[in-house]
Amino acid sequence: MTLDPQRLLRDLFDTAIAAAHPRQVLADQLPADRSGRAIVIGAGKAAAAMAQAIEEAWEGELSGLVVTRYGHGADCRRIEVVEAAHPVPDDAGERVARRVLELVSNLEESDRVIFLLSGGGSSLLALPAEGISLSDKQAINKALLRSGAHIGEMNCVRKHLSAIKGGRLAKACWPATVYTYAISDVPGDQATVIASGPTVADPTTSAQALEILARYGIEIPENVRAWLNDPRSETVKPGDPCLSRSHFQLIARPQQSLDAAAHRVRAAGLTPLILGDLEGEAREVAKVHAGIARQIALHGQPIEPPCVFLSGGETTVTVRGNGRGGRNAEFLLGLTEALNGLPGVYALAGDTDGIDGSEDNAGALMTPDSLERAVARGVSAAERLADNDGYGFFAALDDLIVTGPTRTNVNDFRAILVLERHTDDH
C-alpha cells in the first residue's frame, strides 16, 4: 500500500479530535444515579457538545444554561445554549455569566449542579469583579494575548478580575453538590488552570496578578489597581469549606489524543514518538522540532524513519507584525523556514477546537516543497514570519486546514512525518 503523507497527517488530526469529543468521553463519567433533577451550567468551546451528551445520558429532569464560542453551538432540547466571544470577552459573555450566577444562587443541600467546563471558558464566562468594567477586562485581555504571557499567567490575572473564576462559582453554588466535568486544554491538566478554575481552589494571589501585569508592561487603570490591592479580590483558597461539596473530574486530556494518534501511526506501519505537551514561543518550538526531524532523517536518532513524532500543548506568539495567523500557523511557518526544504519531511499543526487563533482555519500542512512553491508564487517565508502572517503564507499555497468548529478542545496538535534516511546536508 502506497503511503499518502498528507492524507495520513489529516487522519491523525481527525483521530486526535475524535478521541476528545464529548460524545466519546462524558457519559461514562456521570454519577451512577442519573435520576432526579440536575441543573446544568457550562462554559467553553466544547460546552454545547457536552450539553448534548448530558441530555442523551441523563434520565431525570434537566434544565440549565451553557455558553460557547460563536459558531460552536449545538441543538439541545432542555439545556439553553448561548454563544459569546472568544478569546476577548464581549457583553454577551457578561450577560450569560450573570444569568449563570443567578441560576445557582439560593440552592439547597439537596440540589445537584453539573458544571461542564472546557477550554475557552475563561473568556466566555466573563463577569468582571466589583468596580471593574467589561471594557477594562477586554483591554487587559488583549494586552495579555499580545504580550507572550503563557496561559497560567493570563489566567492568574483573569481570576482576580472576575466575579466567577478562581472557585467563586462553587462558592455561589454552596451548599448544593457540584459535579464539574472538564476537558483539559492546558499543559499539565491542572484543574486550577482549565478555564481559570471556576469551581476549584486557586493558590495564586492578587499580588501575583499585579506582578504579572508589571512584568509584561501592561498598563492598567487605577480602578483595576485598587481592586487588586483590595483583600476582596482574593480568590477561593484551598481548604475553604464552600468547596467541600464540589467534585472535579477530568474527562479528556491532550495525552488521550496523542495516544490515539500514536495508535493510528502504528496501524499505518510507522513508528510513533510522543514528545508530550509543550510550551514556548511558537517559532522557537518549531526550531526544536526541526532539529529533531533533521536528526531522524540524517542519523536515525532517536528513532529510525519512517516515523511520526507527535506533540501537543499550547505555544505562544509575541505579536510583532500585522499579519494573520494563530500559533499553529506561526509554528508551521517557523518549521518550514528551519527545515529549508529537507526532503521526505511533512508536517501538520492545528488546534483541536478547529480555530487557530481567531482565523477560520484549524491549522495548516507543510510539505517538503512548501518553500519552493512559495518562491514560485513570490511569497517569502522569512518576510511572512516577521509579519506573523502564517495564515497568509499557507493560504497562498492552498495548504490551510479548515474543519470548522469541532466542539471539543484539547489544544494544539502537531504531527511531523519523516519518511526516510538520507545524507542531504540541509
Side-chain angles (χ1 to χ4, degrees):
M1 183 180 72
T2 304
L3 178 69
D4 181 336
Q6 295 181 65
R7 181 178 291 276
L8 174 63
L9 290 173
R10 281 300 307 265
D11 189 24
L12 296 179
F13 188 43
D14 292 343
T15 298
I17 291 168
H21 199 279
R23 64 173 168 261
Q24 300 288 340
V25 297
L26 180 54
D28 289 345
Q29 303 292 339
L30 295 175
D33 178 10
R34 299 173 188 182
S35 62
R37 186 173 77 100
I39 299 166
V40 179
I41 54 176
K45 296 171 191 174
M50 295 173 85
Q52 274 189 320
I54 289 284
E55 287 196 339
E56 291 170 10
W58 197 260
E59 298 160 5
E61 180 188 342
L62 277 182
S63 62
L65 171 66
V66 302
V67 57
T68 192
R69 182 176 178 163
Y70 290 118
H72 291 240
D75 291 331
C76 291
R77 302 181 310 278
R78 295 178 282 173
I79 302 165
E80 182 183 353
V81 177
V82 176
E83 297 181 6
H86 177 277
V88 177
D90 65 0
D91 56 0
E94 182 177 21
R95 287 195 302 270
V96 75
R98 290 190 189 281
R99 290 181 59 200
V100 164
L101 270 188
E102 290 168 7
L103 201 58
V104 299
S105 295
N106 304 312
L107 295 180
E108 298 178 357
E109 195 170 321
S110 58
D111 287 319
R112 285 192 289 184
V113 175
I114 295 175
F115 182 44
L116 307 173
L117 187 62
S118 55
S122 188
S123 300
L124 292 163
L125 206 60
L127 185 60
E130 183 181 331
I132 296 174
S133 68
L134 181 62
S135 60
D136 290 334
K137 284 198 74 172
Q138 288 171 326
I140 292 168
N141 211 35
K142 284 179 183 175
L144 284 167
L145 286 166
R146 293 180 66 89
S147 72
H150 65 69
I151 188 66
E153 292 172 323
M154 287 193 280
N155 280 351
C156 173
V157 175
R158 288 168 174 167
K159 288 177 192 178
H160 289 90
L161 299 180
S162 172
I164 213 161
K165 301 178 179 74
R168 291 188 175 98
L169 182 59
K171 190 171 187 176
C173 293
W174 173 264
T177 299
V178 180
Y179 297 95
T180 299
Y181 299 100
I183 295 177
S184 170
D185 69 330
V186 298
D189 306 321
Q190 292 176 284
T192 57
V193 180
I194 302 167
S196 302
T199 58
V200 295
D202 173 42
T204 70
T205 66
S206 300
Q208 287 172 319
L210 280 166
E211 191 274 327
I212 290 163
L213 292 166
R215 188 187 320 147
Y216 288 100
I218 296 171
E219 296 288 334
I220 57 174
E222 191 51 45
N223 61 314
V224 172
R225 186 173 303 280
W227 170 254
L228 289 174
N229 281 308
D230 189 319
R232 292 177 301 161
S233 69
E234 275 306 344
T235 47
V236 179
K237 298 297 179 242
D240 193 301
C242 75
L243 299 176
S244 62
R245 298 176 63 82
S246 184
H247 310 279
F248 183 92
Q249 179 67 46
L250 198 59
I251 62 169
R253 64 189 81 200
Q255 183 64 37
Q256 288 169 234
S257 290
L258 293 174
D259 286 340
H263 181 77
R264 180 68 188 86
V265 170
R266 293 188 194 95
L270 309 178
T271 304
L273 174 67
I274 295 179
L275 303 183
D277 274 1
L278 304 176
E279 296 179 90
E281 192 73 20
R283 61 182 68 186
E284 299 303 321
V285 175
K287 290 177 184 176
V288 174
H289 283 66
I292 295 169
R294 185 171 286 107
Q295 189 71 6
I296 291 170
L298 300 181
H299 305 288
Q301 297 170 336
I303 55 175
E304 285 280 357
C307 62
V308 178
F309 62 99
L310 306 163
S311 66
E314 183 174 32
T315 62
T316 53
V317 174
T318 302
V319 179
R320 301 177 180 88
N322 297 303
R324 298 172 66 191
R327 57 185 183 262
N328 288 286
E330 175 112 350
F331 165 87
L332 206 58
L333 180 51
L335 183 73
T336 303
E337 190 179 48
L339 287 175
N340 193 31
L342 183 65
V345 180
Y346 297 76
L348 177 150
D351 196 321
T352 55
D353 69 4
I355 305 296
D356 186 23
S358 57
E359 301 300 337
D360 59 1
N361 66 312
L365 272 163
M366 183 209 78
T367 62
D369 65 350
S370 288
L371 271 183
E372 183 182 338
R373 288 187 289 129
V375 170
R377 289 166 172 78
V379 178
S380 165
E383 289 176 6
R384 294 300 177 101
L385 188 59
D387 199 33
N388 299 115
D389 192 28
Y391 182 99
F393 180 87
F394 290 104
L397 302 183
D398 198 26
D399 281 337
L400 293 174
I401 295 172
V402 179
T403 61
T406 64
R407 295 174 178 82
T408 190
N409 182 24
V410 285
N411 236 320
D412 298 338
F413 175 82
R414 294 175 290 272
I416 300 177
L417 166 65
V418 184
L419 283 178
E420 58 199 3
R421 285 276 296 274
H422 54 77
T423 58
D424 194 302
D425 62 354
H426 275 71

